Amino acid sequence: MAQYEVRRGSEQFGPYDHETLFNYYREGRVVATDEVREVGAAHWQTMQQFSQPQGMTPQSMPPPGMPPQGMAPPTGQVAQPVHVQRMSLAGPILVTLFCCIPFGIVSIVYAAQVNSKASVGDVAGAEESRGKATMWMWLGFGLGLAGTIIYIVGVSASGSSPFD
Amino acid sequence: MLEREAVGVRRRVAAGLMLLFGGVVLLTLAVRHPDTVSWAPICLWREATGTLCAGCGTGRGMHHLLQGDLMAAWRLNPLMLLLGIPAAAIVGLGEGVVLVAGRRIRWPAWPSWLGWTLLAVVVGWWVGRNL
Ligand SMILES: [Zn+2]
């Protein structure tokens, strides 16, 4: 399923799937002047250009419990789109293969959850998964580090020149 | 290409230490086969279960790779060549840019399915190599 990134000034958000983006636009978290592009695409277009051919419209009726439109905050103060910090897969993979421990696998599972959760708009869940992925990655790295240091000390202490 | 925000000095020092550590590990692996070092700890997983983990063979594999013997490295752990080296390159490049430029690389976002696919590949390899 296509994923979209949103840019406002220098800040970048997402990626979101089509439905999430649509919902954010209707809720006013993403506005017409924000720029959007499909992940991997080279060019940005404004949300307005992007949404028109698809019949996407921003929220025209205030959601229940919100102040009437006349009292709504000016466009410059709309709620920020949700920013989910990305999780690299390279670290967990590295820990799994080079530190030789299953902790890396746990880290890959949580890292994979980050984008899946973010793409359905579960920001809190994505952040939680990112925290766990990072924690397991460093635990695995720590164990691998300890083993590697023992190996390096072993090489240095094993008498003959390492360059023989 | 790079994120706008600069990282702190401590983060740059950490990047430098990581790269230094990586360099020492590579040099050590290049000159000495892990099995010739009596103190070298073997994999905890293999020690505990007697089966191979997904990463078993990467130490010896790196030794052969650094000595130019690609086939020996491939036989020991093909996943190291297919996934481990690219992952190491990504991390190494990222840390290098942090050290030199003081900013992080802005990588393109990876799609959700990629994480699950890599997980399946690693777990499949882990199980499959023990059958
Ligand atoms: Zn192992």
Side-chain angles (χ1 to χ4, degrees):
Chain A
M1 193 173 194
Q3 298 277 311
Y4 300 92
E5 296 172 309
V6 175
R7 183 168 76 171
R8 178 180 296 171
S10 63
E11 277 197 286
Q12 205 172 316
F13 306 93
Y16 312 113
D17 62 23
H18 193 274
E19 195 188 338
T20 308
L21 183 62
F22 179 88
N23 286 334
Y24 285 169
Y25 192 37
R26 281 196 312 182
E27 291 163 10
R29 297 164 94 162
V30 172
V31 295
T33 52
D34 287 340
E35 292 173 294
V36 62
R37 72 174 176 191
E38 200 172 328
V39 170
H43 298 290
W44 295 90
Q45 53 186 156
T46 64
M47 198 59 203
Q48 189 165 22
Q49 293 167 334
F50 176 77
S51 60
Q52 266 166 359
Q54 311 189 35
M56 253 202 224
T57 46
Q59 179 80 328
S60 51
M61 292 292 290
M66 294 289 283
Q69 210 151 31
M71 290 164 66
T75 338
Q77 293 174 24
V78 289
Q80 288 290 308
V82 201
H83 186 172
V84 177
Q85 201 183 325
R86 288 165 193 173
M87 175 80 208
S88 169
L89 282 168
I93 294 274
L94 209 55
V95 166
T96 304
L97 292 183
F98 288 96
C99 297
C100 215
I101 2 195
F103 287 6
I105 299 272
V106 180
S107 180
I108 297 177
V109 172
Y110 283 121
Q113 280 183 359
V114 175
N115 268 21
S116 289
K117 287 184 173 174
S119 68
V120 294
D122 180 5
V123 179
E127 286 297 323
E128 192 192 337
S129 294
R130 195 167 55 80
K132 287 181 179 167
T134 309
M135 182 192 78
W136 285 102
M137 180 180 78
W138 285 112
L139 278 178
F141 179 74
L143 273 184
L145 181 69
T148 308
I149 288 175
I150 293 174
Y151 162 60
I152 291 175
V153 171
V155 169
S156 322
S158 60
S160 55
S161 157
F163 296 96
D164 55 12
Chain B
M1 199 64 219
L2 297 184
E3 306 221 344
R4 277 174 66 101
E5 279 172 61
V7 300
V9 174
R10 284 169 61 183
R11 180 66 186 80
R12 288 177 80 166
V13 172
L17 288 175
M18 295 260 257
L19 289 169
L20 182 67
F21 173 68
V24 170
V25 171
L26 286 181
L27 182 69
T28 311
L29 283 170
V31 297
R32 226 35 184 321
H33 190 290
D35 286 353
T36 64
V37 181
S38 58
W39 296 14
I42 73 157
C43 167
L44 293 176
W45 175 266
R46 194 170 51 168
E47 188 117 291
T49 67
T51 61
L52 299 171
C53 84
C56 279
T58 48
R60 287 160 287 159
M62 280 306 291
H63 170 77
H64 290 299
L65 184 66
L66 291 164
Q67 301 247 327
D69 191 347
L70 191 67
M71 283 318 293
W74 175 265
R75 278 193 300 272
L76 278 160
N77 194 335
L79 216 58
M80 178 193 81
L81 295 176
L82 296 176
L83 278 184
I85 301 288
I90 289 172
V91 171
L93 180 63
E95 295 301 300
V97 168
V98 165
L99 176 67
V100 173
R103 290 192 294 163
R104 290 191 179 86
I105 297 179
R106 174 177 280 171
W107 300 100
W110 40 273
S112 297
W113 55 261
L114 183 63
W116 300 111
T117 306
L118 291 180
L119 177 69
V121 167
V122 172
V123 172
W125 164 240
W126 187 358
V127 174
R129 73 185 308 197
N130 284 299
L131 296 180

